[in-house]
């Protein structure tokens, strides 16, 4: 691009035209979380296969990570630190900056129902990406809670002796395994919808990568 030295400030490209939707810390923690989650899920499926909870459910080798049980455990425990440390930073900043309060609250059941119906009819507006609709708020809060649940149930089956009080919160070791499994299932269900919506509304994906919907940094 050539710059016209005689141009007045009003004719220069206006870099502030598109408002910042996602600050840097949201984007970095979001993508670190996405990578950590995918590693946790893929290696978790491999670990599950070594001792399945359901006779009818077995994850194919092609979509499981780690090749065999010990390899998968190494992936799982490495990504665990990334997920937990990154999650603590995201949740702490989400609370301290007021982002969670501004973006995710309040959630009214009436709004969830009407936004859900509008979404099914393809009539949900995406003009202002800075404001989440009620269904998004519910899904984001839900996945945050599923994230907390999966970490605590995971710790309780990782160290059931040291954290026996935590294992007892879930009932016992076996029940904690089921909680861990169903938390994973709900995160995978969320991800399926979440990624599909990001692809259907590509400007939301641009905003989560560059911060602004027009792709400018
Ligand atoms: C791996 C592929 C992923 C893609 C392509 C993706 C894409 C996106 C996009 C485009 C947004 C912005 C939505 C909007 O402005 O309407 C977003 C926000 C969000 N995503 Fe993802 N995401 C991915 C993975 C994940 C995972 C694994 C989780 C959690 C388990 C997650 C949780 C969230 C949350 C909580 C927000 C709201 C963030 C905030 O405003 O503080 N995402 N994602």
């Amino acid at each position: 691009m050539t710059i016209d030295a005689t141009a007045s400030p009003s004719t220069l490209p206006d870099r502030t035209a598109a408002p910042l939707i996602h600050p840097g810390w949201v984007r970095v923690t979001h993508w670190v979380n996405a990578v950590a989650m995918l590693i946790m899920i893929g290696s978790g499926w491999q670990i599950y296969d070594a001792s399945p909870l359901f006779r009818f459910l077995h994850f194919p080798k092609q979509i499981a990570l780690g090749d065999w049980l010990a390899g998968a455990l190494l992936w799982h425990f490495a990504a665990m630190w990334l997920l937990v440390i990154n999650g603590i930073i995201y949740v702490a900043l989400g609370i301290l900056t007021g982002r969670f309060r501004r973006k995710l609250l309040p959630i009214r059941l009436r709004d969830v129902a009407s936004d859900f119906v509008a979404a099914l009819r393809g009539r949900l507006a995406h003009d202002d990406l800075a404001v989440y609709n009620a269904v998004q708020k519910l899904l984001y809060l839900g996945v945050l809670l599923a994230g907390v649940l999966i970490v605590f149930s995971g710790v309780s089956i990782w160290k059931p002796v040291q954290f026996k009080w935590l294992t007892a919160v879930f009932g016992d070791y076996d029940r904690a395994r089921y909680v861990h499994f169903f938390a994973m299932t709900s995160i995978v269900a969320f991800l399926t919808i979440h990624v599909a919506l990001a692809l259907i509304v590509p400007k939301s994906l641009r905003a989560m990568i560059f911060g602004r919907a027009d792709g400018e940094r």
Side-chain angles (χ1 to χ4, degrees), residues 39-62:
I39 296 175
M40 294 298 284
I41 292 168
S43 54
W45 288 349
Q46 184 78 54
I47 297 166
Y48 168 95
D49 278 352
S51 170
L53 288 172
F54 307 100
R55 219 176 294 168
F56 62 87
L57 183 65
H58 180 89
F59 296 100
K61 271 247 170 292
Q62 293 81 349

Side-chain angles (χ1 to χ4, degrees), residues 63-77:
I63 57 166
L65 181 69
D67 226 21
W68 65 303
L69 177 60
L73 284 169
L74 288 177
W75 277 107
H76 212 64
F77 293 140

Side-chain angles (χ1 to χ4, degrees), residues 21-22 26 30-31 33-34 37-38 90 99-100 103 129 132 136 140 143-144 187 190-191 194-195 198 204-205 208:
I21 296 166
H22 302 300
V26 171
H30 176 270
W31 292 117
N33 173 65
M37 272 290 182
L38 291 178
Y90 172 69
R99 182 179 176 87
F100 285 171
K103 296 261 189 180
L129 291 178
Y132 291 142
Q136 270 175 309
Y140 291 154
V143 82
L144 282 174
I187 290 173
F190 163 84
L191 253 182
H194 186 61
V195 174
S204 73
L205 190 55
M208 193 39 102

